[in-house]
Amino acid sequence: MKFSNFVSIKNQHLTEYHYSSGGGMTGGYFSETVEKYDDNFALITTEKAEWHSDEPAVKKYLVDARILSDLESVVRKNHMNFWHRKTFTNMFVADGESYSYSFQFSENSIDFSSQIYPAKYREKLKKLDEIIKNYLKKCLKKVMSQMVLLFIRSF
């Protein structure tokens, strides 16, 4: 086994997660960051631009801080600390999108990027997206219920 891609995360906690995709023919991009806000909350920031010259749409959400623990458990379970700067494939697609991941721990970070992830890696990475979508769904439900209460109280 090749150990040059290994990053020690022993006794460390995830403080920030970042995903980005871009570089396709349109020049558009998407990025998503989850970072510790305080002891109770994490901040999710998304940016999306369809075209190279577009002003990006930026959205921010405060969610339960446990999201960082949930993301960290996926990293640990799938030994992503062995993926640091890993070459996933030798394929290159001119004008193809690239997909980058970064995990900042207390002391070290894990970074990797590829245009194409083989299926066994895609399945593991998909779990990160599922966690974020679930927390966003909970956040939006809470916002909607608070809006309904405010609406009802206004009468």
Side-chain angles (χ1 to χ4, degrees):
M1 179 179 273
K2 183 179 172 185
F3 287 101
S4 62
N5 293 342
F6 173 78
V7 171
S8 176
I9 54 173
K10 186 176 181 180
N11 300 322
Q12 296 182 51
H13 295 286
L14 185 67
T15 58
E16 183 176 314
Y17 161 77
H18 183 77
Y19 164 80
S20 65
S21 64
M25 290 183 74
T26 65
Y29 70 92
F30 175 77
S31 76
E32 188 167 59
T33 303
V34 180
E35 59 191 317
K36 184 177 178 177
Y37 184 76
D38 62 22
D39 289 341
N40 298 313
F41 294 99
L43 179 66
I44 298 176
T45 305
T46 63
E47 279 188 46
K48 184 176 183 177
E50 296 292 330
W51 298 91
H52 183 299
S53 59
D54 279 354
E55 185 71 30
V58 178
K59 296 179 182 177
K60 296 182 179 278
Y61 307 89
L62 273 179
V63 298
D64 190 310
R66 288 180 287 191
I67 189 172
L68 289 164
S69 298
D70 292 349
L71 293 168
E72 179 181 333
S73 69
V74 172
V75 172
R76 292 185 187 283
K77 178 181 177 186
N78 295 290
H79 308 285
M80 290 181 182
N81 54 320
F82 284 92
W83 299 10
H84 183 65
R85 299 189 180 157
K86 179 178 179 57
T87 302
F88 292 90
T89 180
N90 291 325
M91 294 178 68
F92 174 74
V93 180
D95 284 332
E97 272 191 289
S98 185
Y99 307 92
S100 300
Y101 294 83
S102 176
F103 305 87
Q104 181 63 52
F105 284 81
S106 317
E107 298 173 23
N108 296 325
S109 63
I110 302 165
D111 304 291
F112 50 87
S113 181
S114 186
Q115 286 185 306
I116 300 166
Y117 289 95
K120 71 178 186 177
Y121 294 100
R122 277 195 315 267
E123 287 303 312
K124 294 171 183 179
L125 293 168
K126 186 174 153 184
K127 292 175 184 172
L128 298 167
D129 189 47
E130 290 170 357
I131 289 169
I132 292 170
K133 284 182 180 173
N134 284 335
Y135 274 87
L136 286 174
K137 195 181 299 182
K138 290 177 197 174
C139 172
L140 294 174
K141 280 184 182 178
K142 188 174 181 180
V143 168
M144 290 302 292
S145 64
Q146 289 174 346
M147 288 175 65
V148 168
L149 286 174
L150 288 174
F151 179 75
I152 292 170
R153 289 180 185 158
S154 68
F155 286 102

